[in-house]
């Protein structure tokens, strides 16, 4: 049974309690501070740091609204996931536990909604909880007063969404707009006497990267983006990297991905499902942008590296358009919060379910423990009374949201939660005993994109990865001298001692997190 606000208001977070004791705030401010903090967790899909202008200037200003959130809070420069793929990431966030503990290891699993989750614990202290958008955990959500979710990946156009009671199709609507509308509607009708935790989970910017015909679909056209230095990677010394199926040159397909047919005429235009879901006026806008691109590629007769570079340009532009439409909607949500005086007592987290390749190593997609997809953006806007601003470089991981939100709500963090609360960092502290390394484990092989199973450790300077299952290879990277992870040092005799040390540390993490899949240690 849910407890009332009066009960929950007595469960002040350590932060607000501390403030009440130490500040000379006016009575009005004290009353304001005494209110439990609301939480809005905005998670996109596959939105990577390289494409967010608060993190990177590679593509110019692409995300002005996310950048604004960053300006009023903290940018985590060392934010990572535990398992770089959608469902597992979401399960890690909800439970505060690694995949082997929450039971959701890959996208074909089914989340056990009977287990303890952070939203359930928040409900117990009087928080209203809502989940809107991409869920992707197969079973129906539990722990939410309200949920309205996409089936599976969902669609960009004429999306279907369903609640506990009803499945609805929304013709003539773009998913990112719809998820934002629904989030604002929920905020409007919530019980305004209770604190809340709202999860806004965008479908964007997931493949096949369809921009919004209701905003500017021509945006980013006409620009030419430089290829990453390692776009034509030959994967030397990295067997697993060489065997993936996520190459822009080879696997980024005509029609479905490129939205134009192959110039050799073997495929029909626009036969991908996303296009068929548009109404006639949406199609007209779409065609006005993509028909000229069809003519362009028909005329160019590109081959080999030139064709791969052209595909890269198409990929980046479609990705940035989709992301920009989401950024616009995040701006819209922020406007609502501002207009309704919600900014001063709400913590806002912006993150993604994982990072993504923007052509590095020649790739799109994620899954590998290499930096681009192991990392994830994480920006936290806090009310003004939290004074920390700018960049912080502590290692945080998606298992940390659950303990953080619980601490904010004044809930005792259960011993079985494996993440760490980053609330001290939000308060401007840099705890000395903060974690010095991260553990990662990816399981989805065999599977789409053919990324081998692997686990590994990242320390401040090094990364050690073991690929296993149908392969048994180790990789070591010196991130200081080789941030793009091109040179596998595992056979370098000068690294022998370092490798032993890192293997011991990796083993220690596997023991600490109680991962049943471990390598043999001590080594022979
Ligand atoms: C779909 C995509 C893949 C993507 C997975 C997982 N293929 O299957 O490219 O890796 O989702 O993404 S598609 O042909 O359907 O677009 S995840 O973010 O949901 O894990
Ligand atoms: Ca994803």
């Amino acid at each position: 049974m849910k407890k009332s606000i009066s009960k929950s208001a007595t469960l002040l977070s350590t932060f607000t309690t501390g403030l009440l004791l130490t500040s000379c705030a006016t009575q009005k401010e004290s009353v304001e501070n005494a209110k439990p903090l609301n939480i809005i967790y905005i998670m996109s899909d596959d939105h990577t740091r390289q494409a967010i202008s608060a993190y990177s200037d590679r593509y110019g200003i692409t995300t002005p609204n996310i950048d604004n959130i960053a300006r009023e809070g903290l940018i985590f420069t060392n934010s990572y996931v535990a398992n770089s793929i959608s469902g597992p990431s979401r399960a890690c966030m909800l439970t505060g536990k690694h995949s082997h503990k929450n039971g959701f290891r890959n996208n074909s699993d089914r989340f056990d909604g009977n287990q303890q989750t952070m939203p359930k614990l928040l409900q117990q202290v009087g928080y209203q909880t809502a989940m809107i958008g991409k869920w992707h955990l197969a079973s129906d959500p539990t722990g939410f007063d309200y949920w309205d979710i996409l089936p599976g990946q969902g669609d960009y156009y004429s999306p279907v969404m369903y609640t506990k009671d009803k499945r609805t199709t929304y013709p003539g609507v773009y998913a990112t707009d719809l998820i934002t509308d629904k989030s604002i509607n929920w905020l409007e009708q919530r019980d305004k006497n209770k604190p809340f935790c709202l999860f806004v989970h965008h479908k964007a910017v997931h493949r096949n990267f369809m921009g919004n015909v209701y905003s500017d679909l021509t945006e980013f056209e006409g620009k030419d983006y430089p290829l990453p230095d390692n776009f034509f990677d030959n994967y030397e010394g990295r067997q697993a990297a060489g065997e993936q199926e996520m190459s822009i040159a080879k696997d980024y397909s005509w029609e479905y991905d490129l939205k134009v047919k192959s110039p050799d005429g073997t495929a029909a235009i626009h036969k991908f499902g996303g296009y068929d879901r548009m109404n006639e006026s949406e199609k007209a806008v779409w065609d006005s942008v993509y028909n000229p691109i069809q003519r362009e590629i028909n005329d160019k007769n590109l081959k080999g590296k030139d064709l791969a570079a052209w595909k890269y340009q198409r990929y980046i532009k479609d990705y940035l358009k989709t992301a920009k439409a989401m950024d616009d909607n995040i701006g819209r949500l922020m406007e609502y919060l501002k207009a309704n005086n919600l900014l001063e007592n709400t913590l806002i987290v912006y993150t993604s379910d994982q990072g993504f390749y923007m052509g590095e190593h020649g790739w799109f997609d994620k899954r590998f423990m290499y930096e681009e997809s192991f990392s994830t953006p994480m920006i936290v806007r806090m009310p003004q009374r939290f004074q920390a601003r700018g960049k912080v470089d502590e290692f945080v991981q998606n298992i940390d949201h659950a303990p953080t939100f619980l601490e904010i709500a004044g809930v005792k963090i259960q011993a079985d939660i494996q993440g760490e609360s980053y609330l001290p960092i939000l308060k401007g502290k840099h705890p000395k005993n903060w974690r010095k390394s991260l553990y990662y484990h990816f399981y989805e092989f065999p599977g789409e994109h053919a990324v081998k199973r692997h686990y590994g450790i990242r320390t401040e300077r090094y990364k050690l990865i073991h690929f296993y299952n149908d392969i048994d290879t180790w990789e070591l990277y010196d991130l200081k001298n080789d941030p793009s992870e091109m040179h596998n040092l595992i056979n370098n005799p000068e690294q022998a001692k370092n490798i032993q040390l890192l293997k011991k540390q990796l083993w220690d993490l596997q023991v600490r997190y109680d991962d049943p899949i471990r390598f043999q240690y001590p080594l022979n």
Side-chain angles (χ1 to χ4, degrees), residues 499-517:
I499 291 167
Q500 286 309 307
L501 183 70
L502 286 163
K503 283 191 173 169
K504 168 77 171 70
Q505 291 175 350
L506 173 58
W507 166 261
D508 286 346
L509 286 181
Q510 293 190 317
V511 171
R512 174 171 1 134
Y513 292 129
D514 196 25
D515 191 340
I517 298 180

Side-chain angles (χ1 to χ4, degrees), residues 372-383:
E372 292 83 356
S373 53
F374 176 32
S375 69
T376 196
M378 182 174 144
I379 289 168
V380 184
R381 186 198 185 281
M382 298 93 69

Side-chain angles (χ1 to χ4, degrees), residues 361-520:
H361 304 283
W363 298 337
F364 64 99
D365 218 70
K366 54 253 176 183
R367 297 153 198 260
F368 279 106
M369 196 194 169
Y370 304 133
E371 285 299 281
E372 292 83 356
S373 53
F374 176 32
S375 69
T376 196
M378 182 174 144
I379 289 168
V380 184
R381 186 198 185 281
M382 298 93 69
Q384 254 177 2
R385 61 182 185 275
F386 290 67
Q387 284 168 4
R389 294 288 178 272
K391 294 189 172 172
V392 283
D393 61 7
E394 275 86 359
F395 277 146
V396 287
Q397 202 161 22
N398 54 354
I399 52 174
D400 296 341
H401 299 298
T404 305
F405 296 176
L406 294 175
E407 191 179 359
I408 284 172
V411 180
K412 186 171 175 295
I413 300 169
Q414 317 280 317
D416 60 351
I417 287 185
Q418 298 182 315
E420 313 280 335
S421 165
Y422 53 80
L423 184 60
I425 299 172
L426 301 183
K427 290 198 237 168
K429 296 191 184 132
H430 298 282
K432 283 221 166 52
N433 58 353
W434 192 255
R435 69 158 76 81
K436 303 281 184 290
S437 60
L438 293 162
Y439 183 59
Y440 180 84
H441 199 151
F442 171 82
Y443 302 82
E444 197 179 283
F445 185 87
E448 196 177 7
H449 301 299
V451 176
K452 310 285 188 189
R453 294 183 193 199
H454 59 291
Y455 50 73
I457 179 173
R458 190 210 197 276
T459 64
E460 188 194 343
R461 176 152 179 190
Y462 295 102
K463 188 182 291 177
L464 179 76
I465 312 176
H466 182 211
F467 292 92
Y468 71 95
N469 188 234
D470 69 333
I471 184 176
D472 183 10
T473 57
W474 289 81
E475 296 183 4
L476 171 71
Y477 297 98
D478 176 348
L479 298 164
K480 187 169 166 214
N481 293 322
D482 178 26
S484 305
E485 297 160 293
M486 298 293 286
H487 306 289
N488 178 9
L489 301 175
I490 203 73
N491 295 319
N492 183 333
E494 284 171 25
Q495 293 291 339
K497 260 197 166 152
N498 187 30
I499 291 167
Q500 286 309 307
L501 183 70
L502 286 163
K503 283 191 173 169
K504 168 77 171 70
Q505 291 175 350
L506 173 58
W507 166 261
D508 286 346
L509 286 181
Q510 293 190 317
V511 171
R512 174 171 1 134
Y513 292 129
D514 196 25
D515 191 340
I517 298 180
R518 298 177 198 169
F519 66 105
Q520 286 289 320

